Amino acid sequence: MFEYELHKINSAELIRRADQRRLVREIRTARRQARRAAKEAREGRVNTPHHRFARGLT
């Protein structure tokens, strides 16, 4: 009976660790996506299209 209880405790601990690792992975993924979205939102056109090319010397 004692061995069964140790097994259940060990099993519960492994499940708790797996859940914690899964949560950390989800948080990291969400943060990474938020940073990418914020970066894309900040990036935009630097100047207008008619300033994109140098003038000709004609």
Side-chain angles (χ1 to χ4, degrees):
M1 193 67 154
F2 181 70
E3 293 167 353
Y4 177 73
E5 290 173 2
L6 285 179
H7 170 72
K8 294 297 278 183
I9 291 170
N10 189 31
S11 177
E13 177 65 19
L14 291 175
I15 291 171
R16 186 190 65 77
R17 287 183 186 179
D19 287 340
Q20 184 178 12
R21 289 178 181 161
R22 189 176 304 113
L23 179 62
V24 168
R25 187 171 52 242
E26 289 174 1
I27 290 171
R28 286 181 180 165
T29 302
R31 285 181 180 171
R32 189 177 307 121
Q33 289 174 349
R35 280 195 307 264
R36 287 180 182 165
K39 183 179 178 183
E40 288 176 1
R42 281 183 281 152
E43 292 178 355
R45 218 177 245 184
V46 176
N47 51 21
T48 58
H50 63 276
H51 293 297
R52 191 173 295 171
F53 301 104
R55 291 187 188 177
L57 298 174
T58 56

